[in-house]
Amino acid sequence: MNALERHRRLSAIWASEPGFRGWFSTVNHNDLGRMFLVTAFFFFLVGGLLAMLIRAQLATPHSAFAGPEIYNQIFTMHGVVMMFLFAIPTFEGLAIYLLPKILGTRDLAFPRLTAYGYWCYAFGGTMLLVSMLFGIAPDSGWFMYPPLSDAIHSPGINTDFWLIGITFVEISAIAAAVEITVSILKYRAPGMSLDKMPIFGWYALITALMILTGFPPLILGSVLLEVERAFGLPFFQADMGGDSLLWQHLFWLFGHPEVYIIFLPAAGVISTVLPVMCRTTLLGYGWIVAAAVALAFLSFGLWVHHMFTTGIPHMGLAFFSAASTLVAVPTGVQIFAWIGTMWRGRPELHLPMLHILGFFVTFVIGGLTGVMVAVVPFDWQAHDTAFITAHLHYVLFGGFVFPIFAGIYYWLPHFTGRRRFFRLGEIAFALVFVGFHVTFLAMHWVGLLGQRRRISTYTPEDGWTAINLISSVGSFILAFGIAMILLDVLLHALSAGRGRRNPWKAPSLEWAMMTPAPAYNFASLPHVTSRAPLENDPGLPLHLATGGGYLGTPRDGRRETLTVDIASGRPEMLVVYPANTRLPIVMAAITGLFFLSLLLKFYWTVPLALVGVAALAWRWVWGLGMQEDPVPQPIGCGLEVPHAAAVERGPGWWGSAFLLTANATFFGSLLFGFAFLWTVAPGWPPPEWLTPSWGALILGLVGVAAGSLGMRLAMRQNRRGAAPSMGLALALAGTLALAYGCASLMLRAPAPTEHAYGATLLVLGGYGLFHAALAALMVVFTAAQVRRGFTSRTRRSVFSITCLWTDYAGFTGSIVLLAAHLSGLSP
Amino acid sequence: MRDVVRIMLAPLLWLAAFSAVYGLQGLLCGHDVTGSIAGLPLPRVILIAAYGLAIALQCGVLAWLCRTRAAVGSRFVGFVSRATGWTGLVATIWSLFPVALLSICG
């Protein structure tokens, strides 16, 4: 088979449906990455437009441009759009598009999950935009502090749009994070051990793990606040045992890592692009990986530095002040490694390099003001002023937007297969750089003069008029520059001439394919022996195109790829992907119906939507089953590996493990909330404690043990070739007993609308009940698979996945039951 | 996965220790714990003991990472895990140092 024939056959297997219809059924990472990026930049334009409105309002004193109600919506939506609908999805889009290419594989781990995540993002973002068009957008600031955002002080639907819309969008982030984590750990080219992994892969892995552990506290906070608003459960009402500070803790447990979730992928872009622009290799690869890991962890110990003025004891403040200053060290390690890379190489001032230089100047200033506000006495002075707004823009624009522009110009020839023709980009960069610094240096200044953030107007006597005008002029220069960049990119995509492959002479694998990238990426998968495969073997693209690598022969119309051992990169199993389907968009629509029902308070459609999601999820995984035992598959280069269905820990197990990591963080945050309210909230002890029920407790705990033992028994029976019915029956009985224990707790909890204690027990019980029911459903699913002949001694992966979920339900359920009953004993 | 866990072990331990000591301080203040041991206030003694335990654990992890570096598959993982091990130790000493000096509940 020659290269052209191989290309045609692979394209026929991997291509999306032609035309418009393909958008709705594609599960290919090339399409979905582009769709994510285009949608994210659409939201960037919306957010930018809102920023212009803010600056128009503040340009002059006593401005009548927008009244306070509209202005509140404008600045809230600016923050919400930029943080949730632009920054994170841009990372997701870039990672989804790039990762399989730089890792030397054909797609991400779970293509349908990628599509589902995209549609959740698109529908959730649309929901928020629609609220703005109707003038009922969120208006309590992007961090939505209660009591301002509670039902008493914000009675309209505006806040609900934030709480429900953002939670919907965050499904997308969690889905992408699971996808990215499993892909980086398992879906790499053979031979690509951890030390040979491209640096962007490390950054994306760390970021994805941070999303999995950083987003759940916010999801929990959103759930609790929405439940308070809708049903009166007083989690944040101080007179009923709640505490509005709990929201701040949950929000900033997400919010501060969020800054690094935004920065780290951008740092990955810098670490990838900078050495190519400097014609050298990255200095201190190992140090940079260690620094990125350190930064990720330290960023979780900073959240209280957003709460320095809330009256927390001095010792608590000092912990977080110390951690906040410490975080500058790993950041500095990366900055110095990049400076060293430039020093060692021969920098060439191509357009991506200009944006990288813009990043250096801007981000370093933002980092230095960050150290200033990490010092408590300074923060007390600057808190809630325009100085803080300016600082965060230096960090986020400097640390994300400049690097992303560098990345876009760097990978643009890859996206389009064209070479730059128009030269608008350089002028646009100058406008963006000057406009940004004029806008936000002025904002630092006016902040130090005392201008509060979020004010809709001011008086001439305040003395801020000239500075605000300068800032507004700067912002319009900035907007003009960004518009020129987008025009430049558009012109490039539509009209520039064909370019040659790998115009930057980069060493990484994404340039070892034709551009724009074919749907299958690599005609055959490479064997990686170094961190710079293209530099070491310039003939690699031809070798792969002619089928010299792994899986070079398309067979049976199947979309095939390989997974590898995490550490060594040794080929481990063959994975066959599902083909194009509309299942993800339908499931996202039904998920949207669930959230919309909550938003509009059509509670009768909530269970219908839940049943719909469960039915579609059943269909989703049912289709993966096989009714014949797969034999070891030849993959080329004289190797054979087992099929993914024939291993204990297949892709589904890994996906479940990381999804449960996020879930465990959610649960841990819930326990933290319980402990926080009990310890710190003013309205405790509650008027009534739970009356322990030893029967329900013992039944629940016995159920936990039975569920876990039952699944293990089923696995053992299956391994021996016996029918696993006894084990599955025991597991089902166990999970149902646990469900009974949790339901009983919910029914016996003291009145949940009267005190936060009862409300917390209700939510804890609900969490346990939901997971017990989910585990029971999975046991039933496993039994159905057994009955229909989808399992055998060889095809056993479904058992280990169900066992994982049953164990998790048992573990969390037992903590729920024990925590609730022990609290009942405390008086 | 073992290699990834090895790299993340010490920072994870720091995060756990940091959260635990912050939580402990909250509990001591929330429940108004008083008393003294050898002339020192009881809450201070408890917090310093927790601080010492956290440092000892970090030292143990770092020693283990150094001692077992030969058993690791690649030099890279050995290097990065020792670097993050040092990070965990320094972060513990620095970020929890306030337990020795500052007022606890004021």
Side-chain angles (χ1 to χ4, degrees):
Chain A
M1 189 187 306
N2 65 26
L4 185 60
E5 191 185 343
R6 178 173 293 103
H7 166 67
R8 284 182 180 149
R9 286 182 59 183
L10 282 167
S11 294
I13 293 170
W14 288 81
S16 331
E17 287 185 69
F20 189 73
R21 284 177 307 151
W23 295 3
F24 304 108
S25 62
T26 184
V27 291
N28 187 284
H29 78 104
N30 281 302
D31 297 330
L32 290 162
R34 288 192 193 107
M35 286 158 73
F36 255 109
L37 286 171
V38 169
T39 313
F41 273 88
F42 166 74
F43 282 117
F44 183 52
L45 286 182
V46 173
L49 201 65
L50 292 167
M52 293 301 92
L53 298 181
I54 294 172
R55 285 315 321 169
Q57 170 76 8
L58 293 179
T60 54
H62 292 313
S63 174
F65 181 73
E69 290 81 14
I70 295 296
Y71 183 76
N72 289 348
Q73 293 188 27
I74 291 173
F75 74 69
T76 300
M77 284 302 288
H78 167 69
V80 168
V81 167
M82 290 303 199
M83 297 298 269
F84 295 107
L85 303 181
F86 165 62
I88 301 296
T90 300
F91 157 64
E92 289 163 17
L94 198 64
I96 285 167
Y97 179 81
L98 275 180
L99 277 175
K101 297 175 179 66
I102 66 169
L103 297 174
T105 185
R106 283 178 170 155
D107 207 325
L108 294 166
F110 310 108
R112 293 182 299 179
L113 188 63
T114 320
Y116 175 67
Y118 172 75
W119 290 112
C120 284
Y121 161 53
F123 293 155
T126 307
M127 198 188 274
L128 284 163
L129 277 194
V130 167
S131 76
M132 205 162 57
L133 293 177
F134 283 101
I136 45 173
D139 55 0
S140 308
W142 85 278
F143 36 72
M144 209 51 69
Y145 281 168
L148 178 62
S149 59
D150 68 19
I152 301 163
H153 301 94
S154 294
I157 199 173
N158 308 51
T159 302
D160 303 304
F161 267 107
W162 189 97
L163 296 170
I164 290 173
I166 292 301
T167 304
F168 191 13
V169 169
E170 288 196 345
I171 290 178
S172 162
I174 298 287
V178 169
E179 176 90 279
I180 290 168
T181 306
V182 178
S183 301
I184 295 172
L185 291 176
K186 300 298 293 180
Y187 287 69
R188 305 196 300 264
M192 188 183 277
S193 49
L194 287 177
D195 58 324
K196 297 189 189 78
M197 197 157 83
I199 192 73
F200 185 78
W202 274 107
Y203 276 108
L205 174 64
I206 292 163
T207 308
L209 289 171
M210 288 181 74
I211 290 176
L212 289 178
T213 44
F215 277 40
L218 177 63
I219 297 176
L220 172 68
S222 302
V223 170
L224 297 186
L225 186 51
E226 184 55 32
V227 167
E228 175 177 306
R229 288 175 58 83
F231 305 112
L233 274 60
F235 295 105
F236 305 107
Q237 292 179 35
D239 54 337
M240 298 171 84
D243 193 338
S244 58
L245 273 190
L246 174 61
W247 170 268
Q248 294 200 28
H249 278 291
L250 293 175
F251 185 88
W252 291 115
L253 263 168
F254 144 83
H256 199 83
E258 160 88 343
V259 175
Y260 294 87
I261 288 169
I262 290 172
F263 167 63
L264 283 172
V269 171
I270 301 279
S271 294
T272 306
V273 177
L274 184 70
V276 179
M277 293 294 119
C278 297
R279 320 279 359 127
T280 185
T281 51
L282 184 65
L283 184 73
Y285 174 89
W287 284 105
I288 287 185
V289 172
V293 172
L295 199 58
F297 278 94
L298 290 175
S299 76
F300 280 92
L302 311 184
W303 82 90
V304 168
H305 83 201
H306 296 268
M307 302 164 61
F308 278 166
T309 56
T310 55
I312 287 171
H314 289 171
M315 184 179 284
L317 299 185
F319 290 151
F320 289 91
S321 180
S324 303
T325 51
L326 193 63
V327 84
V329 177
T331 313
V333 168
Q334 289 171 85
I335 299 274
F336 281 107
W338 293 327
I339 292 172
T341 304
M342 286 195 286
W343 187 269
R344 187 167 68 173
R346 287 177 288 109
E348 294 174 357
L349 282 182
H350 299 293
L351 193 46
M353 188 66 190
L354 289 180
H355 282 283
I356 289 177
L357 294 176
F359 152 80
F360 271 112
V361 173
T362 314
F363 186 72
V364 168
I365 295 174
L368 290 175
T369 52
V371 176
M372 287 163 72
V373 294
V375 178
V376 178
F378 182 87
D379 185 81
W380 282 346
Q381 299 301 315
H383 187 79
D384 252 347
T385 67
F387 184 92
I388 300 296
T389 316
H391 155 70
L392 75 91
H393 279 86
Y394 263 79
V395 172
L396 293 175
F397 201 100
F400 186 74
V401 180
F402 276 123
I404 286 298
F405 282 151
I408 282 179
Y409 275 114
Y410 176 75
W411 280 296
L412 202 53
H414 197 286
F415 279 101
T416 64
R418 298 172 189 269
R419 63 187 157 77
R420 280 189 74 215
F421 175 71
F422 295 96
R423 296 281 156 186
L424 284 176
E426 282 78 0
I427 303 167
F429 166 75
L431 289 175
V432 168
F433 186 79
V434 171
F436 176 84
H437 283 275
V438 170
T439 307
F440 292 102
L441 274 175
M443 211 180 273
H444 278 112
W445 182 13
V446 80
L448 288 178
L449 289 177
Q451 181 175 316
R452 276 92 60 214
R453 62 195 295 194
R454 297 173 170 175
I455 53 168
S456 62
T457 192
Y458 53 93
T459 65
E461 292 75 35
D462 289 324
W464 306 330
T465 308
I467 310 172
N468 271 302
L469 187 62
I470 291 168
S471 180
S472 294
V473 170
S475 72
F476 281 86
I477 296 172
L478 169 62
F480 198 61
I482 288 174
M484 279 179 73
I485 288 179
L486 295 176
L487 183 66
D488 190 36
V489 170
L490 204 62
L491 286 173
H492 171 98
L494 296 177
S495 63
R498 290 286 308 161
R500 63 176 197 276
R501 186 186 288 188
N502 196 2
W504 308 111
K505 298 185 177 60
S508 44
L509 276 176
E510 77 270 27
W511 299 101
M513 61 184 68
M514 65 172 92
T515 54
Y520 55 83
N521 284 344
F522 299 96
S524 60
L525 301 183
H527 187 92
V528 172
T529 53
S530 80
R531 226 177 276 154
L534 272 185
E535 193 173 87
N536 292 359
D537 180 9
L540 184 64
L542 184 63
H543 176 70
L544 299 179
T546 53
Y550 298 93
L551 300 178
T553 310
R555 51 186 163 189
D556 306 332
R558 299 188 311 193
R559 299 182 176 188
E560 292 180 332
T561 198
L562 294 173
T563 69
V564 296
D565 170 64
I566 291 173
S568 67
R570 177 176 40 77
E572 208 171 56
M573 58 186 154
L574 179 87
V575 173
V576 178
Y577 288 122
N580 299 324
T581 169
R582 286 179 179 72
L583 195 56
I585 188 173
V586 175
M587 190 150 147
I590 304 289
T591 312
L593 176 68
F594 169 75
F595 286 107
L596 210 58
S597 306
L598 291 174
L599 181 67
L600 301 176
K601 308 205 184 320
F602 290 162
Y603 293 123
W604 60 273
T605 49
V606 170
L608 289 180
L610 278 178
V611 169
V613 169
L616 288 170
W618 182 292
R619 192 178 158 200
W620 185 300
V621 280
W622 187 262
L624 296 172
M626 300 171 75
Q627 286 181 308
E628 286 174 11
D629 284 345
V631 293
Q633 308 279 313
I635 56 169
C637 307
L639 288 180
E640 275 190 352
V641 291
H643 190 284
V647 297
E648 196 88 28
R649 292 184 176 182
W653 188 90
W654 286 100
S656 293
F658 287 106
L659 183 58
L660 289 177
T661 304
N663 198 343
T665 315
F666 181 94
F667 182 62
S669 305
L670 182 55
L671 290 178
F672 161 76
F674 189 26
F676 177 85
L677 290 179
W678 197 342
T679 311
V680 177
W684 286 61
E688 186 191 352
W689 294 92
L690 174 78
T691 310
S693 159
W694 299 111
L697 175 65
I698 290 167
L699 186 63
L701 293 178
V702 168
V704 167
S708 188
L709 285 174
M711 274 317 298
R712 275 163 182 76
L713 178 62
M715 286 168 84
R716 183 190 280 189
Q717 287 171 323
N718 183 64
R719 257 199 303 270
R720 288 179 177 168
S725 41
M726 171 76 91
L728 289 175
L730 184 61
L732 183 62
T735 50
L736 291 177
L738 175 61
Y740 170 79
C742 293
S744 153
L745 167 65
M746 290 173 77
L747 292 173
R748 287 181 301 101
T753 53
E754 286 175 16
H755 195 273
Y757 171 65
T760 312
L761 290 192
L762 189 75
V763 172
L764 278 169
Y767 182 91
L769 176 63
F770 174 78
H771 284 82
L774 192 61
L777 185 67
M778 292 181 77
V779 174
V780 172
F781 176 85
T782 308
Q785 289 243 308
V786 171
R787 191 178 162 79
R788 296 297 288 270
F790 283 109
T791 59
S792 70
R793 293 171 74 170
T794 308
R795 287 168 282 131
R796 58 188 191 273
S797 57
V798 67
F799 287 96
S800 50
I801 296 171
T802 306
C803 188
L804 193 63
W805 283 87
T806 313
D807 285 350
Y808 181 80
F811 174 68
T812 51
S814 49
I815 291 179
V816 164
L817 292 174
L818 287 171
H821 283 81
L822 286 176
S823 76
L825 292 177
S826 68
Chain B
M1 199 60 194
R2 213 173 300 161
D3 285 5
V4 177
V5 172
R6 188 181 173 91
I7 288 172
M8 297 185 174
L9 185 60
L12 196 61
L13 182 61
W14 168 77
L15 196 55
F18 184 77
S19 308
V21 173
Y22 180 50
L24 184 63
Q25 183 241 349
L27 281 174
L28 292 171
C29 295
H31 293 280
D32 205 15
V33 175
T34 52
S36 64
I37 293 179
L40 284 168
L42 180 61
R44 174 86 63 201
V45 172
I46 293 173
L47 283 168
I48 289 178
Y51 181 44
L53 179 65
I55 293 173
L57 285 172
Q58 286 288 359
C59 288
V61 167
L62 183 60
W64 178 77
L65 289 171
C66 292
R67 204 178 56 243
T68 57
R69 65 180 153 182
V72 186
S74 77
R75 283 177 57 196
F76 166 78
V77 172
F79 168 76
V80 175
S81 54
R82 273 176 284 131
T84 53
W86 278 105
T87 305
L89 178 60
V90 171
T92 304
I93 293 170
W94 174 252
S95 62
L96 295 179
F97 184 63
V99 298
L101 291 179
L102 287 175
S103 59
I104 296 171
C105 303

